[in-house]
Amino acid sequence: MLRRRPLPALAAAAAFTLAGGLAASALLGLAVAQLEFDKIGLSFQQRASLRAAALRRGLDEAVEVLTVTNQLFATVQPVTRAQFHDFTAPLLARHRFIQAFNFHRLVSDAERAGFEAGMQRLRPGSVITEMKDGAIRRAPARSSYSVVDFLEPMAGNEAAFGLDVAGNAMLMATVGRAVERDGAAATGLLSLAQDARPDSAFEIVLPVYRAGAPLASSAQRRAALVGDSAVIVRAAALVEQILRAADLAADPGLVLAVYASERADPARLVYGSAAPPEARTALAGLRRVLALEAGERYAHTLRVAGQPWHVTLHGAPRALLADHLGSLSTLAGALLFTLLMTAFVHTYARRARRVELLVEERTRDLKRSNQRLIDDVSARRRTEQALQESEQRFRQLVALSSDWYWEQDRHYRFVDITGGIGAKGGVAAERYLGKTRWETVEGMAGSAWGEAHIAAVLAHQGFSNLEYATVSETGETRWFSINGEPVFDAAGAFRGYRGTGTDITARKLAEQRIHHVAQHDVLTGLPNRSLLQDRLGQALAHALRSAQPVWVMLVDLDRFKFVNDSMGHKAGDVLLVTVAARLRAALRESDTVARLSGDEFVVILSEHPEQRLAVDVVQRLMDAVAQPVLLGGKEFFVTCSVGVAVFPTDGAPAESLIEHADIAMYRAKKLGRNNFQFYTPAMNEEAQERVRIEGALRKALERNEFVLHYQPQVELASGRIVGMEALLRWQHPELGMVAPNRFIGVAEETGLIVPIGAWVMRSACAQNRAWQDAGLAPLKVAVNLSARQFGAPGLIDDVQAVLADTGLAASLLEIELTESLFMSDVGQAVELLHGLKALGVGLSIDDFGTGYSSLSYLSHFPIDVLKIDRSFVADIQRDANDAAIVASIIALAHNLKLAVIAEGVETAEQLAYLRRHGCDQMQGYYFSRPLPAAEFARLLERQACLADMPA
Ligand code: C2E
Ligand code: CA
Ligand code: CA
């Protein structure tokens, strides 16, 4: 501002500085002085209210102490002197201002003599006294007394012991007030019998009531009054202790006065001195005038136990300098500074102004050019830094990434490869530099994919994910994936290529592994179903081209389940692996062996001109499988069943080859396993019927399509019917009456035989019981039990339940079992047989003679009957061998104490032969076909007999 003004303004500047400085000094001085006053005033108010609050607390505490003491009377009845002593002793020790605790007891004149006697036991010579004109004397007779009875401490207070205070109007009024407000009440100052100083103490009293009296109204309380407890407090000591305790006693800056009255009544002064005389000295007057003495005052009235207390505080006179040093020195300093500044401004203002003008001008110029320079430099620095960062970023990225970076010139020759192709890709950059890609990658030029790439590059197209294999420095195959794009200069001319490369060998290997895992069986390592389809497709395509046949074989192990169940899954796995290896070894390299599932393998054989396909290939495979296998230290002989489907067969589609092989294999199984079958269309029909029957069978039970027929069993000796065999019939709405041999096998394979068999058992027993109930003679009923039922859990319980439910005697049920039941687990079978036997049912061996079993083991089984298979019976007349077998079975069975029944007896000759050889019973068309229940009943009713038969 200064520089713009003309020269005369300079003098004005100095004057302005002076005037402003003086005014600012004065203001500053006053402001600081005001702050000082505020501080003094604030500190005074704080200290004063601290004391007033401490006094309030102390007084309240005195009342609290008494309340606690009084509590003794409320809770203990009556209170003994010792208890009073014990209770008050710690309170006295803690609160020095307490002169005494006492208990004023109301004593009637009648009680006086007794009461005084009690006092004398404690202190000889004591009587009830009173205080009259400052002297103690024996109290004259009154209607009642309020006597100091309990007194603690006694020492120093002896004079008060026995004192009757009934005459003390103030004390009595206080007690009255206490009863009225039902709380503590305090007296004004009073003189004590035990203290010569007048008006030195006050008393706080609390009424003591008779225990249990109602105290709701003041009248009730007056009536219940038995005395009062009191604490005698030395007023001055109390105030002193309160201040000392709060550490507020010594403050020379404060003058404290406490009055036991509503206002500052010098006559009621308890503590401190009365207010100071008004200022009269010359110095004090001056201080007033200068307003340097604040004249702080504080007055407060408290009310404790109904008694007013007045507290005044005022500031003690202070030294002027002590309180106002700050404001005075500030003022002096400011004045001095003002003068100096004025002189300085005056002297330098002129010179400074010119220099300033010049400097400012130069500075402005300089600033402008400087700014331009700074802008330039920082712009350049930014560019450089950005460049460096970009370069660094690139290097870091290349180092971090698995890629390397390459550049080619316009002739597609590598000119630069950075980023560690050696470390990342296992080939040295030098191998490439100066050459094109197709010169360095073997097999690229000439291959379809390579030529396509070369064409794209020559057309200056970008490319990505170009994958190829190359050989590393160490001779292993590495896979690279390359991305590249053409580079053009500013004029648009082609300059070459640049791009990245990455090693993808690990990924390629993983892909190959995954591919292999996805196409092979984990256990045997053979191709799985998915790869099998591929191979089959290839084989068939080849077959079509070369017009040479393909054989598809389905190989299924016989009794694999038995090995798995009895030897454990580990053994089962070993067996599968072994078989897989044997199949593989038995075939040519070009043939395929795949594992279809579980124990099923598929073999694809293609015909070669020099080697025709022939049945002995199949036999060779079966022989290979049938070699003994060592499992868990035991030798096992595992055979297999094989189905073969031939391609091309007339009209059969390629897709059904495996299915046909399966059907043929199934037939091979049916024919007793360990053989092979070539597929024929008839097999297919059979298989389809099987499927039809299976579907219908599932619903047959619930649709109630089953019925039982009964075929009589006749005793040869008497010619009478002694039993019957229950035979299942299936009446299907579309298929008509389905013979058991068409569906029992299916039911067994599917497990449906279990519920169906249960139905048969229950129905047969129920029917037998019904015939008895209808009055017919008791007969035994034979029920066929299939292997599946025999092995099913809960068989014995089920049979027992059927007997219990139908009420049929166990002896009238015979269960027919076939030898095959005992083949898998003899131990378990014997156990089950004994269980059944224990129920009381009969057991017979059905179709005897057809199984593999020798007669010897029969002795170990709890069997009752042998049923000679009808094939032997049928041949009795044609085949002398069979006839002999029948005769020896009968003889042997009798040796073992078994009954023998021959089934399938169709002719009188057969019957005669059986009779000759001592057969016990017969069953067959000769006597009767199986009959529906109603017809069978008629047979029984007319008591049909063998003797009635035509010869
Ligand atoms: P199986 O137990 O050997 O039953 C005897 C079979 O011989 C019956 O055939 C019966 O009709 C037939 N038969 C009886 N006498 C003669 C005769 O003089 N000449 C000829 N040629 N045959 C005679 P069916 O009823 O067709 O039963 C066939 C098989 O089905 C039974 O053979 C049995 O293995 C099975 N089967 C029948 N019902 C049941 C059943 O309820 N449960 C089970 N698990 N299998 C049953
Ligand atoms: Ca039977
Ligand atoms: Ca039979």
Side-chain angles (χ1 to χ4, degrees), residues 708 711 725-729 739-741 743-744 748 753 756-757 760-761 783-787 789 816 818 846-847 867 869-870 903-907 910 923-926 928-930:
L708 288 184
Q711 187 175 34
E725 180 177 5
L727 292 159
L728 187 58
R729 298 290 177 266
N741 53 19
F743 71 87
I744 291 284
E748 273 174 344
I753 193 67
I756 294 173
V760 171
M761 174 84 67
V783 172
N784 293 284
L785 199 78
S786 95
Q789 280 174 280
E816 294 195 0
T818 56
D846 202 357
D847 305 341
K867 280 188 98 171
D869 188 68
R870 64 175 182 272
E903 62 179 352
V905 180
E906 295 182 354
T907 65
Q910 291 166 348
Q923 178 186 341
Y925 294 171
Y926 176 70
S928 167
R929 286 183 174 264

Side-chain angles (χ1 to χ4, degrees), residues 247-464:
D247 216 4
L248 298 170
D251 188 340
L254 286 177
V255 180
L256 168 73
V258 182
Y259 305 87
S261 62
E262 198 81 51
R263 62 185 62 74
D265 176 359
R268 296 255 154 243
L269 181 66
V270 167
Y271 178 86
S273 55
E278 282 307 295
R280 246 170 263 127
T281 64
L283 183 59
L286 180 63
R287 282 215 299 259
R288 244 325 114 81
V289 170
L290 288 174
L292 288 178
E293 188 183 350
E296 308 91 354
R297 296 216 174 280
Y298 178 89
H300 186 65
T301 306
L302 332 159
R303 204 163 278 281
V304 178
Q307 190 62 32
W309 289 74
H310 189 72
V311 184
T312 68
L313 284 120
H314 52 87
R318 295 181 294 263
L320 172 69
L321 259 181
D323 280 350
H324 297 285
L325 187 63
S327 53
L328 291 178
S329 49
T330 304
L331 186 61
L335 286 175
L336 192 64
F337 183 73
T338 303
L339 290 176
L340 285 172
M341 274 310 288
T342 308
F344 176 79
V345 167
H346 185 70
T347 318
Y348 283 96
R350 302 173 73 114
R351 213 158 66 91
R353 190 183 154 270
R354 282 198 208 101
V355 174
E356 209 178 354
L357 278 172
L358 203 67
V359 167
E360 275 183 9
E361 194 132 326
R362 289 284 152 81
T363 308
R364 269 200 304 279
D365 292 350
L366 214 63
K367 246 187 203 157
R368 269 197 295 276
S369 59
N370 207 14
Q371 191 54 48
R372 274 198 297 277
L373 208 67
I374 287 170
D375 288 351
D376 281 2
V377 168
S378 55
R380 203 196 187 109
R381 192 170 292 159
R382 274 200 300 278
T383 316
E384 265 171 20
Q385 200 170 345
L387 250 156
Q388 268 172 9
E389 279 171 7
S390 149
E391 174 87 12
Q392 199 181 358
R393 231 179 1 248
F394 171 72
R395 294 208 174 283
Q396 277 174 347
L397 277 177
V398 171
L400 279 177
S401 91
S402 54
D403 293 0
W404 56 85
Y405 173 79
W406 54 266
E407 280 181 12
Q408 291 171 338
D409 62 13
R410 76 188 68 192
H411 305 295
Y412 313 100
R413 291 179 303 226
F414 286 100
V415 289
D416 187 18
I417 303 177
T418 57
I421 188 175
K424 294 170 182 171
V427 291
E430 292 70 39
R431 209 167 104 186
Y432 291 97
L433 292 178
K435 294 186 183 144
T436 63
R437 195 182 302 279
W438 48 90
E439 284 167 345
T440 52
V441 177
E442 220 175 292
M444 186 165 175
S447 71
W449 67 270
E451 292 302 333
H453 171 71
I454 293 167
V457 168
L458 293 178
H460 300 167
Q461 288 167 1
F463 60 91
S464 58

Side-chain angles (χ1 to χ4, degrees), residues 451-487:
E451 292 302 333
H453 171 71
I454 293 167
V457 168
L458 293 178
H460 300 167
Q461 288 167 1
F463 60 91
S464 58
N465 301 330
L466 173 73
E467 292 181 3
Y468 56 81
T470 188
V471 179
S472 76
E473 307 298 328
T474 54
E476 50 186 328
T477 302
R478 305 293 289 244
W479 282 85
F480 290 172
S481 170
I482 309 292
N483 296 322
E485 58 177 24
V487 180

Side-chain angles (χ1 to χ4, degrees), residues 475-754:
E476 50 186 328
T477 302
R478 305 293 289 244
W479 282 85
F480 290 172
S481 170
I482 309 292
N483 296 322
E485 58 177 24
V487 180
F488 301 95
D489 64 12
F494 175 69
R495 297 283 300 276
Y497 263 88
R498 67 175 157 223
T500 58
T502 187
D503 182 296
I504 54 164
T505 311
R507 192 190 86 201
K508 281 281 175 190
L509 290 179
E511 277 172 9
Q512 281 168 8
R513 263 198 305 278
I514 289 167
H515 196 66
H516 185 269
V517 168
Q519 294 209 309
H520 289 80
D521 171 49
V522 184
L523 179 65
T524 59
L526 293 180
N528 62 12
R529 191 183 286 268
S530 141
L531 187 53
L532 171 67
Q533 290 299 345
D534 282 2
R535 296 271 177 90
L536 187 57
Q538 286 166 19
L540 296 184
H542 177 78
L544 285 177
R545 278 199 306 276
S546 62
Q548 278 164 344
V550 170
W551 286 12
V552 174
M553 297 167 47
L554 207 133
V555 181
D556 189 289
L557 301 186
D558 299 332
R559 301 190 203 284
F560 172 71
K561 190 170 155 3
F562 171 68
V563 173
N564 227 10
D565 291 350
S566 57
M567 299 296 295
H569 286 269
K570 280 234 171 67
D573 285 354
V574 171
L575 177 61
L576 288 174
V577 172
T578 310
V579 168
R582 286 180 184 173
L583 289 173
R584 188 62 268 169
L587 293 167
R588 296 163 304 182
E589 191 59 36
S590 58
D591 300 328
T592 294
V593 186
R595 182 169 171 217
L596 203 58
S597 67
D599 59 345
E600 284 184 328
F601 299 87
V602 171
V603 177
I604 303 172
L605 303 172
S606 298
E607 186 162 281
H608 296 266
E610 68 281 7
Q611 200 177 10
R612 308 247 137 232
L613 284 173
V615 171
D616 31 303
V617 185
V618 186
Q619 194 55 56
R620 199 172 65 229
L621 272 182
M622 289 178 62
D623 292 346
V625 172
Q627 295 304 306
V629 187
L630 209 60
L631 295 176
K634 282 191 214 156
E635 269 199 346
F636 272 76
F637 292 87
V638 181
T639 56
C640 62
S641 303
V642 179
V644 189
V646 177
F647 178 85
T649 9
D650 339 276
E655 306 84 64
S656 44
L657 275 173
I658 294 178
E659 199 182 308
H660 287 173
D662 190 35
I663 290 170
M665 182 278 289
Y666 184 79
R667 165 57 65 93
K669 284 239 160 181
K670 268 205 128 168
L671 292 175
R673 306 195 162 93
N674 194 17
N675 69 62
F676 62 86
Q677 291 289 315
F678 277 77
Y679 171 79
T680 63
M683 287 180 185
N684 197 14
E685 273 156 35
E686 202 173 283
Q688 274 168 8
E689 170 179 283
R690 209 185 98 85
V691 171
R692 255 201 320 280
I693 286 191
E694 189 182 322
L697 202 55
R698 288 186 187 281
K699 304 188 190 104
L701 250 191
E702 61 193 63
R703 293 189 182 166
N704 227 351
E705 291 170 359
F706 290 119
V707 339
L708 288 184
H709 283 190
Y710 297 90
Q711 187 175 34
Q713 298 176 328
V714 182
E715 192 177 55
L716 296 188
S718 63
R720 297 192 168 280
I721 301 174
V722 291
M724 62 260 178
E725 180 177 5
L727 292 159
L728 187 58
R729 298 290 177 266
W730 180 18
Q731 180 64 58
H732 187 266
E734 284 132 39
L735 303 175
M737 188 64 91
V738 187
N741 53 19
R742 270 175 76 195
F743 71 87
I744 291 284
V746 179
E748 273 174 344
E749 279 156 29
T750 54
L752 285 167
I753 193 67
V754 176

Side-chain angles (χ1 to χ4, degrees), residues 234-254:
R234 283 195 305 278
L238 168 67
V239 176
E240 239 167 60
Q241 185 180 338
I242 291 170
L243 293 178
R244 244 200 331 278
D247 216 4
L248 298 170
D251 188 340
L254 286 177

Side-chain angles (χ1 to χ4, degrees), residues 789-918:
Q789 280 174 280
F790 193 65
L795 169 71
I796 292 170
D797 291 346
D798 290 349
V799 174
Q800 193 171 21
V802 166
L803 291 173
D805 295 349
T806 58
L808 185 73
S811 59
L812 295 184
L813 173 64
E814 189 170 274
I815 294 179
E816 294 195 0
L817 309 155
T818 56
E819 290 162 283
S820 61
L821 298 189
F822 317 126
M823 296 308 292
S824 54
D825 190 339
V826 177
Q828 195 206 6
V830 171
E831 203 177 300
L832 269 169
L833 289 179
H834 280 289
L836 286 171
K837 198 75 214 107
L839 294 179
V841 302
L843 299 178
S844 69
I845 303 267
D846 202 357
D847 305 341
F848 189 78
T850 56
Y852 325 74
S853 51
S854 68
L855 274 168
S856 65
Y857 76 94
L858 288 178
S859 57
H860 305 301
F861 293 165
I863 304 290
D864 303 296
V865 181
L866 282 190
K867 280 188 98 171
I868 302 175
D869 188 68
R870 64 175 182 272
S871 58
F872 296 106
V873 176
D875 283 350
I876 281 178
Q877 276 142 329
R878 276 172 283 155
D879 189 333
N881 243 343
D882 279 358
I885 289 176
V886 169
S888 62
I889 289 177
I890 295 171
L892 237 143
H894 285 160
N895 235 358
L896 291 169
K897 310 250 178 311
L898 304 177
V900 183
I901 180 166
E903 62 179 352
V905 180
E906 295 182 354
T907 65
E909 290 75 21
Q910 291 166 348
L911 181 63
Y913 182 87
L914 290 165
R915 213 190 269 283
R916 249 198 332 278
H917 287 92

